[in-house]
mmCIF file of all heavy atoms in Angstrom:
data_model
loop_
_atom_site.group_PDB
_atom_site.id
_atom_site.type_symbol
_atom_site.label_atom_id
_atom_site.label_comp_id
_atom_site.label_asym_id
_atom_site.label_seq_id
_atom_site.Cartn_x
_atom_site.Cartn_y
_atom_site.Cartn_z
ATOM 1 N N PRO A 95 -89.125 -29.405 -1.645
ATOM 2 C CA PRO A 95 -88.278 -29.530 -2.797
ATOM 3 C C PRO A 95 -86.906 -29.562 -2.482
ATOM 4 O O PRO A 95 -86.098 -28.873 -3.096
ATOM 5 C CB PRO A 95 -88.723 -28.450 -3.720
ATOM 6 C CG PRO A 95 -89.196 -27.301 -2.809
ATOM 7 C CD PRO A 95 -89.712 -27.944 -1.551
ATOM 8 N N THR A 96 -86.430 -30.306 -1.597
ATOM 9 C CA THR A 96 -85.000 -30.467 -1.246
ATOM 10 C C THR A 96 -84.409 -31.730 -1.658
ATOM 11 O O THR A 96 -85.207 -32.762 -2.035
ATOM 12 C CB THR A 96 -84.843 -30.342 0.309
ATOM 13 O OG1 THR A 96 -85.605 -31.458 0.955
ATOM 14 C CG2 THR A 96 -85.383 -29.021 0.838
ATOM 15 N N GLU A 97 -83.119 -31.960 -1.624
ATOM 16 C CA GLU A 97 -82.600 -33.162 -2.034
ATOM 17 C C GLU A 97 -82.989 -34.434 -1.249
ATOM 18 O O GLU A 97 -83.082 -35.455 -1.717
ATOM 19 C CB GLU A 97 -81.019 -33.043 -1.863
ATOM 20 C CG GLU A 97 -80.189 -32.808 -3.118
ATOM 21 C CD GLU A 97 -78.767 -32.582 -2.809
ATOM 22 O OE1 GLU A 97 -78.112 -33.616 -2.691
ATOM 23 O OE2 GLU A 97 -78.378 -31.395 -2.795
ATOM 24 N N GLN A 98 -83.363 -34.141 -0.022
ATOM 25 C CA GLN A 98 -83.838 -35.270 0.859
ATOM 26 C C GLN A 98 -84.998 -36.104 0.250
ATOM 27 O O GLN A 98 -84.908 -37.397 0.364
ATOM 28 C CB GLN A 98 -84.394 -34.606 2.181
ATOM 29 C CG GLN A 98 -83.534 -34.818 3.339
ATOM 30 C CD GLN A 98 -82.341 -33.793 3.229
ATOM 31 O OE1 GLN A 98 -82.526 -32.711 2.772
ATOM 32 N NE2 GLN A 98 -81.144 -34.210 3.692
ATOM 33 N N ILE A 99 -85.849 -35.480 -0.375
ATOM 34 C CA ILE A 99 -87.015 -36.208 -0.862
ATOM 35 C C ILE A 99 -86.673 -37.282 -1.828
ATOM 36 O O ILE A 99 -87.256 -38.370 -1.776
ATOM 37 C CB ILE A 99 -88.127 -35.273 -1.322
ATOM 38 C CG1 ILE A 99 -89.434 -36.022 -1.584
ATOM 39 C CG2 ILE A 99 -87.796 -34.386 -2.487
ATOM 40 C CD1 ILE A 99 -90.094 -36.645 -0.378
ATOM 41 N N MET A 100 -85.774 -37.009 -2.780
ATOM 42 C CA MET A 100 -85.340 -38.016 -3.796
ATOM 43 C C MET A 100 -84.610 -39.114 -3.100
ATOM 44 O O MET A 100 -84.876 -40.297 -3.302
ATOM 45 C CB MET A 100 -84.442 -37.389 -4.785
ATOM 46 C CG MET A 100 -85.146 -36.703 -5.995
ATOM 47 S SD MET A 100 -86.192 -37.822 -6.993
ATOM 48 C CE MET A 100 -86.993 -36.517 -8.012
ATOM 49 N N MET A 101 -83.827 -38.708 -2.103
ATOM 50 C CA MET A 101 -83.039 -39.769 -1.313
ATOM 51 C C MET A 101 -83.952 -40.721 -0.630
ATOM 52 O O MET A 101 -83.712 -41.875 -0.510
ATOM 53 C CB MET A 101 -82.134 -39.044 -0.352
ATOM 54 C CG MET A 101 -80.691 -38.786 -0.845
ATOM 55 S SD MET A 101 -79.894 -38.026 0.485
ATOM 56 C CE MET A 101 -78.982 -36.779 -0.439
ATOM 57 N N GLN A 102 -85.031 -40.052 -0.071
ATOM 58 C CA GLN A 102 -85.983 -40.848 0.670
ATOM 59 C C GLN A 102 -86.828 -41.801 -0.171
ATOM 60 O O GLN A 102 -86.945 -42.920 0.105
ATOM 61 C CB GLN A 102 -86.844 -39.882 1.388
ATOM 62 C CG GLN A 102 -87.727 -40.357 2.532
ATOM 63 C CD GLN A 102 -88.614 -39.267 2.953
ATOM 64 O OE1 GLN A 102 -88.167 -38.117 3.097
ATOM 65 N NE2 GLN A 102 -89.840 -39.583 3.229
ATOM 66 N N LEU A 103 -87.361 -41.164 -1.259
ATOM 67 C CA LEU A 103 -88.274 -41.976 -2.093
ATOM 68 C C LEU A 103 -87.604 -42.904 -3.193
ATOM 69 O O LEU A 103 -88.073 -43.963 -3.382
ATOM 70 C CB LEU A 103 -89.293 -41.083 -2.829
ATOM 71 C CG LEU A 103 -90.205 -40.289 -1.784
ATOM 72 C CD1 LEU A 103 -91.144 -39.366 -2.686
ATOM 73 C CD2 LEU A 103 -91.051 -41.206 -1.097
ATOM 74 N N TYR A 104 -86.669 -42.322 -3.851
ATOM 75 C CA TYR A 104 -85.956 -43.068 -4.984
ATOM 76 C C TYR A 104 -84.462 -43.140 -4.703
ATOM 77 O O TYR A 104 -83.709 -42.562 -5.642
ATOM 78 C CB TYR A 104 -86.314 -42.427 -6.288
ATOM 79 C CG TYR A 104 -87.841 -42.569 -6.569
ATOM 80 C CD1 TYR A 104 -88.649 -41.355 -6.531
ATOM 81 C CD2 TYR A 104 -88.418 -43.727 -6.885
ATOM 82 C CE1 TYR A 104 -90.054 -41.394 -6.718
ATOM 83 C CE2 TYR A 104 -89.804 -43.806 -7.123
ATOM 84 C CZ TYR A 104 -90.647 -42.628 -6.989
ATOM 85 O OH TYR A 104 -91.893 -42.737 -7.340
ATOM 86 N N PRO A 105 -84.038 -43.720 -3.713
ATOM 87 C CA PRO A 105 -82.574 -43.749 -3.302
ATOM 88 C C PRO A 105 -81.741 -44.415 -4.451
ATOM 89 O O PRO A 105 -80.481 -44.104 -4.671
ATOM 90 C CB PRO A 105 -82.418 -44.397 -2.061
ATOM 91 C CG PRO A 105 -83.749 -45.268 -1.894
ATOM 92 C CD PRO A 105 -84.666 -44.484 -2.653
ATOM 93 N N GLU A 106 -82.372 -45.240 -5.199
ATOM 94 C CA GLU A 106 -81.639 -46.040 -6.236
ATOM 95 C C GLU A 106 -81.039 -45.122 -7.232
ATOM 96 O O GLU A 106 -80.165 -45.611 -8.075
ATOM 97 C CB GLU A 106 -82.486 -47.186 -6.830
ATOM 98 C CG GLU A 106 -83.707 -46.754 -7.542
ATOM 99 C CD GLU A 106 -84.974 -46.436 -6.709
ATOM 100 O OE1 GLU A 106 -84.792 -46.421 -5.482
ATOM 101 O OE2 GLU A 106 -86.064 -46.251 -7.260
ATOM 102 N N ILE A 107 -81.519 -43.928 -7.424
ATOM 103 C CA ILE A 107 -80.887 -43.095 -8.538
ATOM 104 C C ILE A 107 -79.490 -42.820 -8.181
ATOM 105 O O ILE A 107 -78.711 -42.481 -9.157
ATOM 106 C CB ILE A 107 -81.722 -41.752 -8.705
ATOM 107 C CG1 ILE A 107 -81.632 -40.853 -7.402
ATOM 108 C CG2 ILE A 107 -83.139 -41.955 -9.123
ATOM 109 C CD1 ILE A 107 -82.166 -39.392 -7.660
ATOM 110 N N TYR A 108 -79.027 -42.915 -6.960
ATOM 111 C CA TYR A 108 -77.594 -42.714 -6.687
ATOM 112 C C TYR A 108 -76.802 -43.883 -7.018
ATOM 113 O O TYR A 108 -75.573 -43.809 -7.018
ATOM 114 C CB TYR A 108 -77.486 -42.285 -5.217
ATOM 115 C CG TYR A 108 -78.187 -40.953 -4.892
ATOM 116 C CD1 TYR A 108 -79.472 -41.043 -4.279
ATOM 117 C CD2 TYR A 108 -77.559 -39.796 -5.196
ATOM 118 C CE1 TYR A 108 -80.166 -39.770 -4.122
ATOM 119 C CE2 TYR A 108 -78.297 -38.580 -4.986
ATOM 120 C CZ TYR A 108 -79.494 -38.562 -4.490
ATOM 121 O OH TYR A 108 -80.259 -37.405 -4.316
ATOM 122 N N ALA A 109 -77.372 -44.942 -7.517
ATOM 123 C CA ALA A 109 -76.683 -46.100 -7.960
ATOM 124 C C ALA A 109 -76.452 -46.092 -9.421
ATOM 125 O O ALA A 109 -75.958 -47.068 -10.048
ATOM 126 C CB ALA A 109 -77.463 -47.391 -7.499
ATOM 127 N N CYS A 110 -76.686 -44.945 -10.040
ATOM 128 C CA CYS A 110 -76.578 -44.997 -11.569
ATOM 129 C C CYS A 110 -75.140 -45.077 -11.901
ATOM 130 O O CYS A 110 -74.211 -44.495 -11.285
ATOM 131 C CB CYS A 110 -77.082 -43.528 -12.011
ATOM 132 S SG CYS A 110 -76.569 -43.123 -13.739
ATOM 133 N N VAL A 111 -74.940 -45.986 -12.881
ATOM 134 C CA VAL A 111 -73.517 -46.282 -13.260
ATOM 135 C C VAL A 111 -73.048 -45.463 -14.421
ATOM 136 O O VAL A 111 -72.014 -45.713 -15.019
ATOM 137 C CB VAL A 111 -73.332 -47.740 -13.523
ATOM 138 C CG1 VAL A 111 -73.494 -48.551 -12.216
ATOM 139 C CG2 VAL A 111 -74.137 -48.311 -14.689
ATOM 140 N N GLY A 112 -73.938 -44.571 -14.937
ATOM 141 C CA GLY A 112 -73.602 -43.778 -16.071
ATOM 142 C C GLY A 112 -73.509 -44.486 -17.394
ATOM 143 O O GLY A 112 -72.677 -44.005 -18.284
ATOM 144 N N CYS A 113 -74.177 -45.544 -17.605
ATOM 145 C CA CYS A 113 -74.057 -46.386 -18.844
ATOM 146 C C CYS A 113 -74.801 -45.711 -20.010
ATOM 147 O O CYS A 113 -74.539 -46.061 -21.178
ATOM 148 C CB CYS A 113 -74.501 -47.657 -18.642
ATOM 149 S SG CYS A 113 -76.256 -47.859 -18.325
ATOM 150 N N ASN A 114 -75.656 -44.799 -19.784
ATOM 151 C CA ASN A 114 -76.396 -44.087 -20.755
ATOM 152 C C ASN A 114 -77.450 -44.881 -21.556
ATOM 153 O O ASN A 114 -77.922 -44.560 -22.595
ATOM 154 C CB ASN A 114 -75.485 -43.424 -21.770
ATOM 155 C CG ASN A 114 -76.061 -42.148 -22.371
ATOM 156 O OD1 ASN A 114 -76.908 -41.507 -21.743
ATOM 157 N ND2 ASN A 114 -75.718 -41.918 -23.611
#
Side-chain angles (χ1 to χ4, degrees):
Chain A
T96 60
E97 259 175 79
Q98 255 73 34
I99 187 68
M100 277 296 171
M101 263 180 228
Q102 192 188 322
L103 295 178
Y104 298 107
E106 64 277 10
I107 63 172
Y108 297 96
C110 167
V111 298
C113 67
N114 209 28

